[in-house]
Amino acid sequence: MSSCESEICEFYKNKSIFITGATGFLGKALVEKLLRSCNNLSTIYILIRHKKGKTPSQRLDEFLDCKVFEKVNETFPDYRKKLVAIEGDLVEPGLGISEKDKEILKKSVHVVFHSAATVRFDEPLKIAINMNILGTKKVIDLCKQMENLKVFVHVSTAYANCDRSRVTEDVYPPPVQPEKILEAADWMDDGLMNLITPSIIKKKPNTYTYTKAIAESLIIKECKEIPCCIVRPSIIGCSWKEPIPGWIDNFNGPTALFPASGTGVLRTMLGHLDAVADLVPVDVVVNNLLAAGWFRGAEKTKKIIVFHCTSGIRNKLTWGMMEDYGVNCFFKTPFEKVFILPNPHFTSYK
């Protein structure tokens, strides 16, 4: 999707877009793709909070001072005019957005991409609830007030239902009703909630998958009158083609394995060689988000539809394959500083 002649690009023409989580890895790639491939859009409003003494405007300037925006800067040098920083925070009442900015969003926005979330597996449950469930509810409440909303796209995860042996593109009954867990998080202190977290999340492996599953059920309950869709990516990795092959801006998740094993620091890791390493390039996920927004927003369907964005078993990459590719890569293009000869491997023995 690189031409403004596409049906998808036409959908975003003259649209105003509100994005949460834009300063994250996926959000950054989404903003870049919109600016480069859908440059005839109207405005992109980005929710940005104060951080480390820097204002949202200062953080937006830093956000744009990134290699990923080089191509769009060459093609559309005035792209900065299409970006507006909205001061706010997912954990604040009403998203922490001023009444003035809220009125602008209510009257102007056509498309909402909600990708803000805590993705830490070991996040304390109360924080995960406030970010991933209550934060989503606040975004939905704002969407309900938008006069020209065409679609609300919620970024979930393919692992929201990882306790199931087979997962289809459906929203499953939640571990607990959203209002119940929100109520519990409101009155329960942090110490007590941390103490009973294993009893609360039960079969879920962590607070991330637990809260993301509940957030999906919240959407089913709250978005009956809102055009909405859910996108479930698996593990998001570096870019495949756009805008630069191999671009990444963090060392989160599997990305950290490469420098750790490539320098010889990480030698052995618990894992099954035949298990699928479901890595999906960030540009594939971004294209999926834009296509999903178009599909629901152009009223190709009236339902709240779920889209998986995974490799699965059709084009699978196993951890064993990753081990082999990694070793070959480390010897072909070694790191500058190597502590010991790289020889990483997975083991199923604890």
Side-chain angles (χ1 to χ4, degrees):
M1 201 184 81
S2 58
S3 169
C4 275
E5 295 175 1
S6 75
E7 191 176 346
I8 296 175
C9 189
E10 187 64 26
F11 169 74
Y12 291 99
K13 183 178 180 180
N14 298 323
K15 298 287 194 303
S16 289
I17 301 161
F18 177 56
I19 302 176
T20 72
T23 56
F25 175 51
L26 175 61
K28 201 176 289 184
L30 174 61
V31 170
E32 191 280 335
K33 177 68 175 182
L34 281 166
L35 291 169
R36 178 168 48 84
S37 294
C38 307
N39 62 294
N40 51 10
L41 58 78
S42 176
T43 309
I44 300 176
Y45 297 99
I46 299 176
L47 186 71
I48 306 182
R49 62 188 171 94
H50 277 271
K51 189 176 182 181
K52 296 178 180 177
K54 292 176 181 175
T55 66
S57 293
Q58 289 172 324
R59 289 192 65 204
L60 179 60
D61 291 336
E62 285 185 355
F63 167 80
L64 296 172
D65 186 23
C66 175
K67 189 175 180 66
V68 75
F69 292 105
E70 286 181 357
K71 186 175 283 189
V72 71
N73 191 44
E74 291 171 6
T75 313
F76 308 106
D78 61 344
Y79 74 94
R80 176 67 175 78
K81 296 176 183 176
K82 292 182 179 287
L83 295 170
V84 176
I86 297 291
E87 183 177 343
D89 191 332
L90 205 64
V91 299
E92 294 294 328
L95 298 173
I97 301 174
S98 70
E99 286 304 318
K100 180 183 175 183
D101 285 345
K102 202 169 284 185
E103 284 303 314
I104 292 171
L105 296 177
K106 287 178 189 177
K107 295 183 183 299
S108 305
V109 171
H110 302 90
V111 179
V112 174
F113 289 100
H114 176 43
S115 70
T118 175
V119 297
R120 286 179 53 189
F121 292 166
D122 60 348
E123 192 76 84
L125 183 55
K126 182 173 275 194
I127 295 175
I129 289 169
N130 286 335
M131 288 283 290
N132 296 346
I133 304 174
L134 186 55
T136 299
K137 186 177 187 309
K138 292 170 187 174
V139 175
I140 293 170
D141 289 342
L142 179 60
C143 286
K144 288 177 179 178
Q145 300 174 63
M146 291 177 175
E147 299 170 9
N148 301 297
L149 185 69
K150 296 294 183 185
V151 64
F152 165 50
V153 182
H154 174 72
V155 182
S156 185
T157 172
Y159 301 102
N161 303 287
C162 61
D163 50 327
R164 290 176 171 268
S165 59
R166 183 172 182 270
V167 180
T168 57
E169 291 179 324
D170 297 287
V171 175
Y172 295 94
V176 64
Q177 291 304 314
E179 60 273 14
K180 295 293 184 184
I181 197 67
L182 289 174
E183 183 183 340
D186 188 45
W187 67 262
M188 199 178 296
D189 65 56
D190 295 356
L192 178 57
M193 181 156 277
N194 291 339
L195 184 66
I196 64 173
T197 291
S199 301
I200 295 174
I201 67 174
K202 295 178 181 175
K203 292 182 180 180
K204 298 289 185 186
N206 49 57
T207 58
Y208 171 63
T209 56
Y210 177 78
T211 52
K212 292 298 274 186
I214 297 173
E216 288 190 0
S217 68
L218 177 73
I219 287 170
I220 296 297
K221 275 193 167 187
E222 296 286 336
C223 295
K224 289 183 172 64
E225 305 300 322
I226 296 177
C228 173
C229 62
I230 297 169
V231 177
R232 291 177 181 156
S234 51
I235 305 168
I236 303 176
C238 67
S239 59
W240 174 30
K241 294 180 179 179
E242 300 180 81
I244 322 159
W247 172 76
I248 198 163
D249 74 344
N250 64 76
F251 285 105
N252 298 331
T255 308
L257 297 178
F258 293 102
S261 55
T263 55
V265 174
L266 180 65
R267 311 287 289 173
T268 306
M269 186 172 175
L270 187 65
H272 295 280
L273 292 175
D274 57 349
V276 177
D278 212 320
L279 291 161
V280 181
V282 67
D283 45 334
V284 171
V285 179
V286 165
N287 285 338
N288 191 310
L289 288 172
L290 296 179
W294 157 75
F295 191 83
R296 182 60 187 89
E299 298 189 338
K300 302 292 183 181
T301 178
K302 296 281 188 181
K303 300 186 297 181
I304 296 178
I305 193 166
V306 179
F307 298 92
H308 282 166
C309 186
T310 66
S311 61
I313 59 172
R314 290 187 178 180
N315 186 28
K316 69 178 179 179
L317 174 72
T318 66
W319 289 111
M321 293 163 67
M322 285 277 284
E323 183 182 297
D324 294 338
Y325 293 151
V327 171
N328 290 335
C329 180
F330 299 148
F331 282 97
K332 271 187 177 180
T333 53
F335 283 84
E336 288 183 5
K337 295 180 180 179
V338 176
F339 296 96
I340 192 171
L341 193 69
N343 185 29
H345 64 276
F346 288 95
T347 179
S348 56
Y349 296 102
K350 293 185 179 180

